[in-house]
């Protein structure tokens, strides 16, 4: 109501008072919301005392944080792990790594064997090579594998394009080249884009079990843990020391279920456990 209607008692019946009372809460409502802003900033305000170091968040770190937060908020994560006997693979790789380095000029890493096995299994189980797209699931044709490469202050995931079409030697070369570019700060945007599945070499720093956060919008990520010697009961009942590794898989339960992921890991296990000098060429 206009304030001009209020001054005289004769022109101000009680009915006019109600609108006045009704207006007051409407004017106060925006003010009531105002205190929430300081409260929100206070929740993220970390006290700084003498001796503390404040480190500005870089653009790369902000991008990593945003992608990981998006993945955890949107994708219902589930996890599965499989133990694999890679004794034959270890013996094979160790028997040729010296000659390979002399001939090719770069290292033949264990990780190259794992990446090749994953690429082959993805070709056989294309459901894993998919992405959630709201009202549909996109099954990707190309098998482009992100590999995680860490620096002192960031984590990069360059892509090995069409990994299923490459030999173990070709994958080993590309792993070395991409890792070198990351550490030299020469990685391009094109080399970071187009990934359909991520393989993380967590074993390189001694991890034996981990649960990775899926690289959004992919449907899964695989952690390759450390190869360690363990006592294992063999089929004949004897105990032998074997080279064992855990493969830990995080999956988006909107896209994938445990059955297909178990089948996928079983296939990776089969490939790796049957890798030997007799049946596997690195060329």
């Amino acid at each position: 109501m206009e304030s001009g209607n209020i001054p005289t008692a004769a022109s101000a019946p009680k009915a006019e008072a109600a609108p006045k009372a009704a207006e007051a809460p409407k004017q106060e409502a925006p003010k009531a919301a105002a205190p929430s802003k300081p409260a929100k900033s206070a929740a993220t305000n970390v006290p700084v005392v003498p001796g503390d170091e404040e480190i500005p968040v870089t653009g790369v770190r902000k991008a990593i944080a945003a992608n990981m937060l998006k993945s955890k908020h949107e994708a219902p994560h589930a996890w599965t792990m499989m133990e694999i006997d890679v004794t034959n693979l270890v013996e094979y790789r160790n028997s040729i790594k010296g000659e390979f380095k002399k001939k090719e000029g770069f290292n033949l890493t264990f990780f190259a064997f794992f990446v090749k096995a994953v690429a082959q299994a993805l070709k056989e189980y294309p459901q894993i090579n998919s992405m959630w797209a709201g009202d549909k699931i996109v099954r990707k044709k190309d098998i482009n594998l992100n590999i995680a490469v860490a620096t002192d202050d960031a984590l990069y995931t360059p892509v090995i394009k069409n990994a299923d079409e490459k030999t173990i030697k070709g994958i080993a070369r590309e792993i070395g080249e991409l890792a070198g570019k990351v550490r030299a700060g020469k990685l391009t945007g094109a080399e970071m884009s187009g990934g359909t599945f991520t393989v993380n070499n967590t074993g390189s720093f001694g991890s034996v079990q981990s649960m990775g956060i899926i690289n959004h919008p992919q449907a899964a990520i695989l952690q390759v843990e450390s190869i360690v010697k363990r006592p294992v009961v063999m089929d004949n009942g004897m105990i032998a020391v074997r080279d064992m590794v855990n493969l830990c898989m995080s999956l988006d339960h909107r896209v994938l279920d445990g059955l297909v992921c178990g089948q996928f890991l079983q296939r990776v296990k089969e490939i790796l456990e049957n890798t030997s000098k007799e049946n596997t060429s690195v060329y």
Side-chain angles (χ1 to χ4, degrees), residues 192-206:
M192 289 275 287
S193 64
T196 60
F197 185 89
T198 298
V199 187
N200 190 2
N201 189 18
T202 43
S204 62
F205 49 83

Side-chain angles (χ1 to χ4, degrees), residues 182-238:
V182 167
R183 292 170 184 135
K186 296 180 178 179
L187 196 68
T188 66
E191 290 167 325
M192 289 275 287
S193 64
T196 60
F197 185 89
T198 298
V199 187
N200 190 2
N201 189 18
T202 43
S204 62
F205 49 83
S207 172
V208 294
Q209 185 176 346
S210 59
M211 296 186 295
I213 298 176
I214 298 165
N215 188 6
H216 185 275
Q218 296 171 12
I221 182 172
L222 188 70
Q223 315 274 98
V224 179
E225 307 295 349
S226 291
I227 298 173
V228 297
K229 292 189 179 297
R230 295 180 193 156
V232 177
V233 179
M234 307 301 289
D235 291 339
N236 59 6
M238 300 296 288

Side-chain angles (χ1 to χ4, degrees), residues 7-277:
T8 65
S11 62
K14 289 184 180 180
E16 292 291 335
K20 279 295 292 182
E23 283 184 0
K26 290 182 181 178
Q27 293 173 353
E28 290 299 324
K31 294 181 181 177
S36 65
K37 291 184 179 179
K40 187 175 180 181
S41 61
T44 57
N45 183 34
V46 178
V48 179
V49 299
D52 290 348
E53 182 182 4
E54 295 184 80
I55 303 170
V57 179
T58 64
V60 171
R61 177 53 57 185
K62 286 179 180 177
I64 293 170
N67 197 45
M68 295 297 98
L69 191 63
K70 188 179 181 77
S71 179
K72 285 294 287 182
H73 278 188
E74 291 188 8
H77 282 55
W79 296 271
T80 185
M81 183 181 79
M82 194 163 289
E83 186 179 59
I84 299 174
D85 185 338
V86 289
T87 304
N88 293 337
L89 187 158
V90 169
E91 290 176 354
Y92 174 38
R93 178 263 183 181
N94 287 345
S95 70
I96 64 173
K97 67 175 184 179
E99 181 184 347
F100 183 92
K101 178 68 179 289
K102 288 180 182 178
K103 181 178 178 181
E104 305 297 340
F106 56 91
N107 292 324
L108 178 63
T109 62
F110 287 122
F111 192 46
F113 288 88
F114 286 97
V115 170
K116 178 61 179 177
V118 168
Q120 184 176 333
L122 283 172
K123 196 167 186 177
E124 298 173 28
Y125 290 92
Q127 305 96 310
I128 309 293
N129 199 49
S130 299
M131 297 181 182
W132 180 263
D135 60 345
K136 58 183 175 290
I137 293 171
V138 178
R139 188 174 294 178
K140 304 299 288 183
K141 177 185 176 183
D142 293 336
I143 296 174
N144 299 333
L145 299 185
N146 290 91
I147 59 169
V149 181
T151 63
D152 290 339
D153 59 354
L155 180 69
Y156 296 84
T157 53
V159 180
I160 299 176
K161 303 283 177 69
N162 303 116
D164 58 310
E165 300 174 4
K166 294 184 166 110
T167 62
I168 295 171
K169 170 197 165 183
I171 289 171
R173 181 197 298 277
E174 200 157 343
I175 289 171
E177 289 175 350
L178 290 171
K181 287 184 178 182
V182 167
R183 292 170 184 135
K186 296 180 178 179
L187 196 68
T188 66
E191 290 167 325
M192 289 275 287
S193 64
T196 60
F197 185 89
T198 298
V199 187
N200 190 2
N201 189 18
T202 43
S204 62
F205 49 83
S207 172
V208 294
Q209 185 176 346
S210 59
M211 296 186 295
I213 298 176
I214 298 165
N215 188 6
H216 185 275
Q218 296 171 12
I221 182 172
L222 188 70
Q223 315 274 98
V224 179
E225 307 295 349
S226 291
I227 298 173
V228 297
K229 292 189 179 297
R230 295 180 193 156
V232 177
V233 179
M234 307 301 289
D235 291 339
N236 59 6
M238 300 296 288
I239 296 176
V241 175
R242 307 290 289 179
D243 291 295
M244 306 298 293
V245 64
N246 293 328
L247 297 186
C248 303
M249 185 174 177
S250 304
L251 57 119
D252 183 344
H253 229 321
R254 298 173 302 177
V255 182
L256 303 171
D257 296 315
L259 176 61
V260 69
C261 292
Q263 292 170 336
F264 168 75
L265 284 179
Q266 281 284 358
R267 181 59 180 135
V268 175
K269 174 184 173 79
E270 181 183 17
I271 294 168
L272 292 172
E273 290 189 342
N274 287 283
T275 297
S276 65
K277 187 174 183 178

